[in-house]
Amino acid sequence: MRTKALDNLHGVLHHQDTIYEATVPTAQYVAAILPDPRTLRSVEKTHRSFPGCMRADLLAWLDSVADAVTDAVNEVGQRLGFPLADHPPAVAMREMRPLLFSAAFPYVDDTDRAVREAAIAACIPLVDDVRLLHHRAALVPLVRQALGTSELWQHRERAIDALDAWGESSAGIEGQRNPFLFCDTDLSPDSTSWSSATSDAEGWAEELPF
């Protein structure tokens, strides 16, 4: 049931980064239930899932929602003739950023590493809001020390992008050599063919199939 609910968050209420009318009250609800101890329960995972309990997944969802209404997204939309200001749910989500930040920030030093990293990642797009800009200084060391040393290449890349965008040094953070490997294979890390797939992808042993 918990896993199905999370699937609905991503597949129905925030499909392909879309902000629907129903996404707004759902984000409020998700923010409100984060402290509930039941969010510490486990959920089913696949080899593509990020690790952690339900709370980590809920924070990751808030991160995704917030990332869909950043200033950078708005700038691109304006250039293409689709500013976020013309989409009421996006406007409402942008207005809600301080509330979402207040829900996520208490977990940036959580003892659970997955929750801690998810919370820091969620705070990154939220501090675009002019009302939250002053929190960037506190986030910089957290981004560098937690996300920058994460076992997840996605979080390390997120740290690099955030620090660079904020005019901070990202030196010493190791990015992902081949992020397409994660997208282009269904193999799990413990698969017997994983090492050969990695070798082919990084060494260009075979021609691309397109």
Side-chain angles (χ1 to χ4, degrees):
M1 183 68 71
R2 295 190 295 274
T3 302
K4 179 62 175 177
L6 288 171
D7 288 344
N8 287 337
L9 282 181
H10 289 284
V12 178
L13 292 163
H14 186 46
H15 181 61
Q16 295 184 341
D17 293 336
T18 303
I19 302 296
Y20 303 101
E21 288 186 12
T23 312
V24 178
T26 302
Q28 292 176 311
Y29 177 79
V30 168
I33 67 172
L34 282 176
D36 192 307
R38 288 174 292 183
T39 62
L40 295 175
R41 295 175 180 173
S42 62
V43 291
E44 295 177 14
K45 301 285 183 176
T46 70
H47 72 275
R48 293 184 183 276
S49 302
F50 278 16
C53 60
M54 179 190 273
R55 182 175 290 165
D57 283 317
L58 292 175
L59 284 163
W61 185 79
L62 290 178
D63 176 15
S64 182
V65 168
D67 208 40
V69 295
T70 61
D71 290 349
V73 170
N74 190 42
E75 289 174 7
V76 172
Q78 288 178 329
R79 290 201 303 269
L80 297 176
F82 299 100
L84 294 180
D86 290 346
H87 187 48
V91 173
M93 192 63 66
R94 285 169 66 84
E95 284 299 311
M96 197 195 307
R97 287 182 290 184
L99 182 151
L100 300 182
F101 182 85
S102 67
F105 190 73
Y107 300 100
V108 298
D109 58 356
D110 198 89
T111 55
D112 184 308
R113 182 172 183 174
V115 171
R116 179 170 66 252
E117 292 184 5
I120 296 169
C123 287
I124 290 173
L126 293 170
V127 295
D128 267 8
D129 193 301
V130 66
R131 296 164 290 181
L132 300 171
L133 281 174
H134 62 284
H135 288 290
R136 280 188 180 176
L139 279 177
V140 167
L142 297 172
V143 169
R144 184 179 290 117
Q145 295 164 14
L147 296 192
T149 60
S150 174
E151 295 177 355
L152 300 173
W153 67 263
Q154 295 93 333
H155 281 171
R156 298 196 305 273
E157 290 285 344
R158 190 71 178 280
I160 293 171
D161 291 343
L163 293 171
D164 289 349
W166 296 346
E168 302 286 343
S169 174
S170 61
I173 299 177
E174 181 181 353
Q176 173 69 6
R177 291 174 57 195
N178 182 16
F180 295 102
L181 178 64
F182 179 82
C183 302
D184 293 345
T185 181
D186 289 328
L187 298 175
S188 60
D190 58 355
S191 168
T192 56
S193 301
W194 180 263
S195 59
S196 61
T198 303
S199 175
D200 289 344
E202 294 184 350
W204 302 91
E206 298 179 0
E207 294 184 3
L208 293 173
F210 49 81

